[in-house]
Amino acid sequence: LELIDKCIGSQIWVLMKTNKEFVGTLVGFDDFVNMVLEDVTEYEYPGEKITKRSSILLNGSHVSWLL
């Protein structure tokens, strides 16, 4: 959790257990790694659907990777 804390304010890439990926600025997180991102681009596969969002709350139990 300390490493994630150092990433607050930085752009991160989040890979979900589903076919979705999110790139955005990490605003905050909790002990369950639920995260709030701003200026988010959502990628959904297959079909490569791209959606822009101003902010989003991600459920930590669905996160696979943080890059």
Side-chain angles (χ1 to χ4, degrees):
L1 293 176
E2 290 179 27
L3 184 59
I4 299 171
D5 190 47
K6 291 180 181 181
C7 293
I8 291 179
S10 300
Q11 188 175 48
I12 62 169
W13 180 19
V14 183
L15 283 76
M16 306 300 284
K17 292 179 181 177
T18 61
N19 292 333
K20 292 186 180 184
E21 299 176 9
F22 298 90
V23 176
T25 303
L26 180 63
V27 177
F29 69 98
D30 64 11
D31 291 339
F32 301 102
V33 194
N34 297 315
M35 293 177 280
V36 176
L37 302 178
E38 287 184 340
D39 302 321
V40 182
T41 304
E42 176 183 348
Y43 301 92
E44 187 172 352
Y45 303 100
E48 300 180 21
K49 180 181 175 186
I50 299 173
T51 306
K52 301 275 186 175
R53 302 183 186 277
S54 59
S55 63
I56 194 167
L57 171 64
L58 299 177
N59 185 327
S61 65
H62 296 155
V63 172
S64 181
W65 285 88
L66 295 173
L67 303 167

